[in-house]
């Protein structure tokens, strides 16, 4: 596995692979790799002839300095896992390489970026859209792989790629969970032992909601109340939102006719977690 930081070299190499007829799969990450990232890598490895991972904790998508400061790092471990996953190239740019000094160019997917996670984290999706645009211009991938855990991010990236006529096909992969249901996240290491014990309630509450919808329940307010009550019984941590929305547009539903996305965000003491569940038509 090659490890490069210089964006110009990455662009040259991926261009050369293209000219040689390779199919390039790309998994953008912020490092601190876990089984969720590994599932994306395994799928990308299987569907392409070359596999590229980026490891970059993108400062512009953090709305809170303490979240950026406490975000876990372990580059040697990440490189080992990337190699084990069959990556041909690990790209580890510096913030200065990605953001040269001076007033920056930014990219914003309007509308979708201002709701749910975007409302709770001002500027977050502008940072995501900006860095993904740069990543996609540098890694000349045919396909890029994103996790359903960050559903809003994945559909914003799809819209970005469609609007700017960028190439990679956006593949959304299912959320990987702990055996108790907690969605894997790099931020889970920042949960206290008590919060970690309570955290599986998120998935249990979402699963309850999905079961209600499958059983014919349609009232979004009752679903939100039921999900909220289940979570409140397990933890005092405040919820940012519980959303009952259309998966492709994130518009709030007056009646929860599938397809429905149930999504939520909760603020534990040192980790804000998100989760969601898709109820398909
Ligand atoms: P991150 O390093 O957190 O920016 O995540 C990099 C990619 O991995 C994103 O596309 C995430 O949606 C995806 N991802 C993170 N956690 C999970 C998970 N538990 N299951 C599946 N994909 C995930």
């Amino acid at each position: 596995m090659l490890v490069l930081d210089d964006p110009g070299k990455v662009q040259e190499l991926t261009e050369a692979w293209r000219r040689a007829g390779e199919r390039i799969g790309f998994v953008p990450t912020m490092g601190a790799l876990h089984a969720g990232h590994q599932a994306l890598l395994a799928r990308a490895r299987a569907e392409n002839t070359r596999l590229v991972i980026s490891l970059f904790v993108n400062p512009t998508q953090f709305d809170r300095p303490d979240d950026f400061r406490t975000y876990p790092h372990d580059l040697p471990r990440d490189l080992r896992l990337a190699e084990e996953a069959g990556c041909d190239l690990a790209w580890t740019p510096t913030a200065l390489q990605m953001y040269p000094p001076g007033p920056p160019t930014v990219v914003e997917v309007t509308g979708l970026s201002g709701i749910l996670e975007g409302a709770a984290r001002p500027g977050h999706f502008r940072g995501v859209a900006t860095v993904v645009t740069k990543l996609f211009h540098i890694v000349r991938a045919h396909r890029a792989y994103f996790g359903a855990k960050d559903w809003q991010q994945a559909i914003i990236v799809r819209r970005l790629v469609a609007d700017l006529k960028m190439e990679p096909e956006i593949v959304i992969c299912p959320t990987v969970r702990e055996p108790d249901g907690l969605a894997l996240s790099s931020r889970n290491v920042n949960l206290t032992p008590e919060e970690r014990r309570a955290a599986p309630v998120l998935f249990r509450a979402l699963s309850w909601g999905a079961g209600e919808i499958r059983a014919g329940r349609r009232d979004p307010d009752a679903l939100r109340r039921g999900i909220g009550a289940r979570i409140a019984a397990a933890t005092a941590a405040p919820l940012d939102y519980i959303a009952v929305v259309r998966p492709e547009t994130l518009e709030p539903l007056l009646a929860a006719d599938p397809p429905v996305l149930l999504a939520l965000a909760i603020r534990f003491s040192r980790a804000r977690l998100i989760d969601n569940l898709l109820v398909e038509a």
Side-chain angles (χ1 to χ4, degrees):
M1 180 179 77
L2 215 56
V3 181
L4 292 175
D5 59 9
D6 179 23
K9 292 216 170 79
V10 171
Q11 204 170 36
E12 252 171 54
L13 178 63
T14 53
E15 280 291 358
W17 281 345
R18 273 184 167 253
R19 283 194 302 274
E22 307 276 11
R23 303 287 300 174
I24 303 172
F26 178 31
V27 179
T29 80
M30 299 207 298
L33 300 184
H34 53 62
H37 302 111
Q38 284 168 314
L40 268 51
L41 291 167
R43 171 120 179 235
R45 179 69 279 175
E47 294 179 352
N48 302 278
T49 63
R50 293 287 183 180
L51 176 56
V52 181
I53 185 172
S54 61
L55 300 159
F56 178 57
V57 184
N58 174 36
T60 66
Q61 72 187 71
F62 285 82
D63 54 305
R64 287 182 8 230
D66 58 313
D67 187 26
F68 183 55
R69 232 183 5 255
T70 59
Y71 202 84
H73 297 256
D74 189 345
L75 185 59
R77 176 176 175 277
D78 287 343
L79 291 176
R80 200 176 63 242
L81 293 175
E83 177 139 43
E84 281 168 19
C87 291
D88 297 290
L89 168 63
W91 176 31
T92 59
T94 65
L96 201 61
Q97 285 170 323
M98 293 302 281
Y99 299 105
T105 301
V106 299
V107 180
E108 184 151 9
V109 177
T110 60
L112 284 174
S113 294
I115 53 179
L116 304 178
E117 280 303 283
R121 304 179 64 191
H124 169 63
F125 286 120
R126 187 192 307 130
V128 169
T130 301
V131 80
V132 167
T133 303
K134 291 175 188 243
L135 297 175
F136 284 179
H137 279 296
I138 293 163
V139 176
R140 309 279 290 112
H142 296 89
R143 296 198 188 88
Y145 295 78
F146 288 82
K149 207 211 103 203
D150 300 280
W151 183 267
Q152 187 174 3
Q153 166 172 282
I155 64 162
I156 285 174
V157 170
R158 273 204 173 144
R159 177 69 199 228
L160 171 73
V161 163
D163 281 356
L164 299 187
K165 307 282 183 262
M166 290 194 275
E167 167 150 7
E169 176 196 341
I170 304 305
V171 181
I172 303 181
C173 304
T175 300
V176 177
R177 299 179 180 280
E178 300 281 6
D180 62 15
L182 176 63
L184 294 185
S185 163
S186 305
R187 291 185 177 87
N188 290 351
V189 297
N190 291 334
L191 296 173
T192 66
E194 191 189 339
E195 289 170 343
R196 175 62 190 83
R197 277 193 295 278
V201 74
L202 304 179
F203 181 61
R204 280 203 307 277
L206 290 169
S207 302
W208 170 83
E212 292 294 294
I213 293 172
R214 284 191 208 101
R217 190 131 165 219
R218 293 289 174 262
D219 177 4
D221 290 331
L223 289 164
R224 266 197 297 273
R225 273 198 306 276
I227 292 170
R230 279 162 178 78
I231 294 170
T235 173
L239 285 157
D240 272 348
Y241 59 82
I242 300 171
V244 182
V245 296
R246 194 60 78 212
E248 296 308 322
T249 59
L250 304 181
E251 59 188 316
L253 295 174
L254 297 176
D257 292 307
V260 174
L261 184 79
L262 299 173
L264 56 79
I266 187 166
R267 270 180 284 140
F268 287 112
S269 57
R270 288 185 299 118
R272 181 177 175 282
L273 299 188
I274 57 173
D275 201 353
N276 67 73
L277 210 53
L278 182 63
V279 186
E280 284 175 284

